[in-house]
């Protein structure tokens, strides 16, 4: 089945074409340069930028896949969770196209999309598996039993891991989004140079707000910013504190549930240290690890089309009165 995917839940306008589980194109227009001057995503600006980009992005996705709009057999679009104004741009576009082309469409959960990025790989995970969904808005561990059955095993009680990266980078004046900058800077730093807290040791849940506070306290105590020469050590130590708990709690969830397959997805799964430590931790326990390529970890429409195609093939159809939702837990 030839499916067009559309994603506009935050600050990336994305479209992709999937054919029978294979990615034919994957186009992403990022708004990062616009939002970075404000230190974070400005929802109203995001909506306006989505309107400007969406038709061009879809056209590019069709061109790259060498298909015409008339050949598309179904549309999958992110319905939530996300910024409501941003979601509405993608959803309205999807509905208009589905109506005009007289083809079915489905509204997809963004988190299910992130997990489905793993299905696009040459070697896809079989069920059941443990999934860590780690992004700017979520840090959730699920036991995934099939395409529609998710059991939440752990979640953040406050900030998401991506938020911890972004807020830490902001405190260090490293710019937005923080994850990429901290990742890059950490490559030249010593992760053991400074001691940051690892919260909620004996719980399946996460907490990252104390980590951000401890960096703030450190900065206040010094009365000045860290000199440039020390920044790699600070970044590497801060990153290590986030990565350690993500790996530890996910592996524990897998062990406790007797599962040997682990999927790591979402924007923070692009982090090189996280990928490295998950590879080591799973190899040491004879577990199979599935992390999508970096381009499919951060927001994209291929992952939305991937799960959308499965839903459409199972007969799922949404009607034209479907609304966007800002919050939408999958378990
Ligand atoms: O999945 P995503 O693109 O959007 C959401 O659904 O939130 O995730 C964005 C988050 C941001 O917080 C960003 O800082 C983080 O992913 N991120 C990273 C890296 N690349 C993106 N965090 C750590 N290391 C990276 N390399
Ligand atoms: Zn996302």
């Amino acid at each position: 089945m030839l499916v067009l995917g559309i994603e506009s839940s935050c600050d990336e306008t994305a479209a992709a074409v999937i054919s029978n589980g294979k990615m034919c194109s994957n186009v992403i227009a990022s708004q990062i340069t616009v939002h970075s001057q404000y230190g974070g995503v400005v929802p109203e600006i995001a909506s306006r930028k989505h309107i400007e980009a969406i038709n061009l992005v879809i056209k590019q996705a069709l061109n790259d896949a060498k298909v015409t709009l008339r050949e598309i057999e179904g549309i999958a679009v992110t319905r939530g969770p996300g910024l409501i104004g941003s979601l509405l741009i993608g959803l309205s576009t999807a509905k208009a196209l589905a109506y005009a082309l007289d083809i079915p469409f489905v509204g997809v959960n963004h988190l299910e999309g992130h997990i489905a990025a793993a299905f696009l790989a040459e070697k896809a995970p079989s069920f059941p598996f443990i999934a860590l969904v780690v992004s700017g808005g979520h840090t959730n561990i699920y036991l995934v039993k099939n395409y529609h059955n998710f059991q939440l095993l752990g979640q953040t009680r406050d900030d998401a891991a991506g938020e911890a990266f972004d807020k830490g980078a902001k405190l260090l004046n490293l710019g937005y989004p923080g994850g990429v900058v901290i990742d890059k800077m950490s490559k030249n730093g010593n992760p053991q140079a400074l001691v940051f807290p690892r919260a909620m040791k004996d719980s399946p849940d996460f907490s990252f707000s104390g980590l951000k506070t401890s960096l703030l306290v450190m900065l206040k105590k010094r009365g000045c910013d860290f000199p440039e020469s020390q920044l790699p050590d600070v970044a590497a130590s801060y990153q290590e504190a986030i990565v350690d708990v993500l790996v530890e709690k996910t592996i524990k969830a897998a062990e406790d549930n007797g599962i040997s397959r682990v999927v790591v997805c979402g924007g923070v799964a692009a982090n090189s240290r996280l990928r490295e430590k998950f590879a080591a931790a799973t190899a040491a326990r004879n577990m199979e690890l599935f992390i999508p390529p970096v381009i499919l970890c951060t927001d994209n429409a291929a992952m939305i089309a991937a799960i959308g195609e499965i839903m459409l093939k199972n007969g799922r159809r949404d009607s034209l009165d479907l609304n966007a939702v800002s919050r939408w837990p999958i378990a």
Side-chain angles (χ1 to χ4, degrees):
M1 186 175 195
L2 204 56
V3 175
L4 172 68
I6 299 174
E7 152 66 38
S8 69
S9 66
C10 191
D11 59 347
E12 259 103 28
T13 320
V17 175
I18 295 284
S19 173
N20 294 320
K22 294 271 168 281
M23 188 168 79
C24 308
S25 65
N26 186 32
V27 178
I28 303 163
S30 174
Q31 305 176 2
I32 280 175
T33 47
V34 186
H35 297 291
S36 61
Q37 54 189 310
Y38 304 101
V41 177
V42 184
E44 176 62 23
I45 297 177
S47 312
R48 288 165 190 269
K49 290 284 156 194
H50 283 307
I51 294 179
E52 285 172 22
I54 197 137
N55 286 343
L56 294 169
V57 166
I58 290 172
K59 211 175 248 180
Q60 187 67 48
L62 295 168
N63 279 348
D64 288 359
K66 298 189 174 51
V67 297
T68 64
L69 203 46
R70 299 243 158 247
E71 290 172 86
I72 296 294
E73 297 169 283
I75 298 180
V77 60
T78 307
R79 181 194 175 201
L83 302 170
I84 203 79
S86 293
L87 289 163
L88 281 171
I89 311 304
L91 184 59
S92 311
T93 307
K95 285 186 197 174
L97 285 173
Y99 180 69
L101 297 166
D102 195 21
I103 55 173
F105 89 98
V106 284
V108 169
N109 186 298
H110 184 80
L111 304 181
E112 289 186 43
H114 271 305
I115 295 171
F119 304 142
L120 288 168
E122 195 91 336
K123 194 174 131 237
S126 49
F127 298 108
F129 57 79
I130 294 292
L132 170 69
V133 184
V134 68
S135 69
H138 296 87
T139 305
N140 297 339
I141 301 176
Y142 298 101
L143 169 58
V144 185
K145 294 182 185 155
N146 60 45
Y147 289 122
H148 343 272
N149 191 323
F150 305 88
Q151 186 185 335
L152 185 63
L153 302 176
Q155 62 183 319
T156 184
R157 302 264 180 101
D158 39 58
D159 293 348
E163 222 174 330
F165 272 107
D166 295 338
K167 287 178 176 170
K170 203 169 186 177
L171 288 173
L172 295 169
N173 290 320
L174 297 176
Y176 173 86
V180 184
V181 196
I182 290 186
D183 189 348
K184 210 165 153 194
M185 187 158 270
S186 298
K187 293 208 158 83
N188 303 314
N190 170 10
Q192 258 75 53
L194 295 162
V195 180
F196 283 105
R198 273 87 167 145
M200 312 208 41
K201 266 233 164 296
D202 300 315
S203 163
D205 285 346
F206 300 93
S207 166
F208 292 107
S209 68
L211 172 63
K212 170 195 66 191
T213 309
S214 94
L215 176 59
L216 183 65
V217 169
M218 217 176 257
L219 280 162
K220 281 217 166 122
K221 263 195 194 147
R222 295 176 50 86
C224 62
D225 289 340
F226 286 100
E228 212 150 289
S229 60
Q230 266 181 37
L231 280 177
D233 280 352
V234 182
S237 304
Y238 187 83
Q239 171 177 273
E240 200 75 357
I242 301 175
V243 167
D244 276 352
V245 288
L246 291 174
V247 175
E248 199 175 291
K249 287 175 193 277
T250 308
I251 296 290
K252 178 150 194 324
E255 284 175 340
D256 287 354
N257 287 278
I259 307 280
S260 62
R261 283 175 294 274
V262 174
V263 168
V264 184
C265 57
V268 179
N271 184 270
S272 57
R273 184 69 174 157
L274 186 75
R275 299 171 84 93
E276 205 175 279
K277 287 203 127 180
F278 259 116
T282 48
R285 292 165 180 84
N286 246 334
M287 291 179 177
E288 277 184 289
L289 176 66
F290 304 85
I291 309 189
V294 169
I295 191 72
L296 295 178
C297 287
T298 45
D299 286 349
N300 67 86
M303 65 186 197
I304 303 300
I307 188 66
E309 186 187 16
I310 292 162
M311 291 171 168
L312 287 163
K313 280 185 170 169
N314 283 338
R316 247 269 318 267
R317 302 285 182 265
D318 279 321
S319 63
L320 291 171
D321 60 2
L322 186 78
N323 223 335
V325 281
S326 58
R327 290 176 54 82
W328 186 9
I330 55 175

